[in-house]
Amino acid sequence: MKLKEIVAKISQKIGLIFIGKFLEFNFYNKKRNTYLNERTIEYEFVLKNLCLHNCLDILDIGTGSNSFSSVLEHCGYNVTATDIKEGGGYWANFNNRHIYVIKDDITNSKIKSTFDAVLCISVLEHIPNFYDAVKGMVERLKDNGILIITFPYSHYQYCENIYKLKEADVISKSFRYIGQSFSRNEIDMFCKYFKLDVIDTQFAKGWSGAYWRTGERYDFPIKIENPIDANIGCFLFRKTKNK
């Protein structure tokens, strides 16, 4: 066995000891949840479509500290997880114990590979330069690859920052990042400028107000047929080679 492999195995065993203690502490000290968030609907949409469209190589944008990329790897997908992890601010304050996260900014990405699917789950709304972010995602798709993006959705009206709305909930007003809500106009723009087709959607509502984080929170998000009534949107785009 090579020295590098020996060091890796020893590091793994030591790491597992500390992670085990950390997980044990969290288990006995965590607060009991009283509601479900939008991920229940978003992840269902992602898993359904990755399987339906025979994807294998996946790029996940804005992985953060969550375990979904690791779950996808457990399913058999080849996952490249990325996040900006820089700046010393909010976006640098995470560690992912589930999967290795590559430091990369999708608005100016250094990743050269292309993928069957690019995922951006509840991340685009936090990127001020969302146009360049979507451009970067599309450039990393194989021909006929799929792009899955989910975000706060308001059919008729784009909102630059829902957290600053007068009717936003108290907690969101303290967030140190923006939360945009995208409209149908932005969807049409993505299709026009990046040669995309919308091939599947799922709309949902998790708050009683017109925008995400306004009104009263629903304990369980609900799927919505009419996009006009939704405040969360899940979109599946396909890159079309000769459009």
Side-chain angles (χ1 to χ4, degrees):
M1 184 179 294
K2 296 180 180 179
L3 178 61
K4 185 182 293 186
E5 293 175 342
I6 294 173
V7 172
K9 285 185 176 295
I10 293 173
S11 299
Q12 183 182 42
K13 288 183 178 180
I14 294 173
L16 287 173
I17 293 172
F18 285 103
I19 289 175
K21 293 296 183 182
F22 172 75
L23 294 176
E24 181 183 12
F25 175 84
N26 276 1
F27 178 77
Y28 288 109
N29 293 277
K30 64 184 177 182
K31 294 182 180 179
R32 181 178 178 275
N33 291 328
T34 58
Y35 60 85
L36 295 181
N37 61 40
E38 66 275 22
R39 298 295 180 271
T40 55
I41 292 173
E42 292 171 324
Y43 288 168
E44 177 193 23
F45 184 80
V46 171
L47 289 168
K48 176 190 74 172
N49 279 297
L50 290 181
C51 185
L52 183 63
H53 296 282
N54 298 322
C55 299
L56 191 59
D57 298 324
I58 311 296
L59 175 63
D60 185 33
I61 307 298
T63 301
S65 61
N66 77 68
S67 62
F68 189 56
S69 286
S70 181
V71 171
L72 292 176
E73 278 203 333
H74 189 66
C75 292
Y77 295 104
N78 304 310
V79 181
T80 300
T82 68
D83 212 313
I84 56 174
K85 298 202 299 184
E86 63 183 7
Y90 175 84
W91 301 113
N93 294 332
F94 75 85
N95 289 294
N96 194 308
R97 65 177 184 270
H98 311 284
I99 193 171
Y100 177 68
V101 179
I102 296 173
K103 176 182 175 180
D104 189 68
D105 181 354
I106 193 58
T107 66
N108 186 27
S109 181
K110 302 300 187 292
I111 293 175
K112 304 301 181 184
S113 304
T114 55
F115 301 84
D116 300 316
V118 175
L119 311 180
C120 185
I121 310 305
S122 283
V123 171
L124 188 66
E125 65 267 28
H126 305 309
I127 304 176
N129 189 3
F130 65 85
Y131 180 91
D132 282 350
V134 175
K135 181 175 182 288
M137 295 176 208
V138 174
E139 289 173 347
R140 273 135 202 96
L141 282 176
K142 297 177 182 178
D143 290 333
N144 293 317
I146 62 171
L147 171 61
I148 301 178
I149 314 180
T150 72
F151 40 68
Y153 183 78
S154 42
H155 190 72
Y156 290 121
Q157 184 67 48
Y158 165 80
C159 181
E160 186 175 5
N161 192 357
I162 54 179
Y163 306 143
K164 298 302 181 184
L165 293 174
K166 181 177 65 175
E167 59 270 34
D169 71 301
V170 173
I171 294 176
S172 66
K173 289 180 183 294
S174 66
F175 290 167
R176 292 175 286 164
Y177 45 87
I178 66 167
Q180 300 166 93
S181 183
F182 298 103
S183 71
R184 186 67 210 189
N185 286 337
E186 285 71 55
I187 303 304
D188 292 341
M189 180 186 71
F190 298 157
C191 292
K192 177 180 179 180
Y193 289 108
F194 303 129
K195 298 182 179 180
L196 299 171
D197 290 319
V198 176
I199 58 175
D200 194 16
T201 58
Q202 178 63 67
F203 298 99
K205 196 172 182 72
W207 292 76
S208 62
Y211 292 99
W212 186 251
R213 307 249 11 164
T214 66
E216 298 296 323
R217 182 192 286 274
Y218 294 171
D219 289 342
F220 300 93
I222 58 173
K223 293 180 180 179
I224 297 289
E225 293 295 328
N226 189 344
I228 296 172
D229 299 325
N231 47 36
I232 281 289
C234 305
F235 289 83
L236 171 62
F237 301 90
R238 182 182 293 283
K239 182 179 180 181
T240 305
K241 182 177 181 181
N242 297 315
K243 187 172 181 179

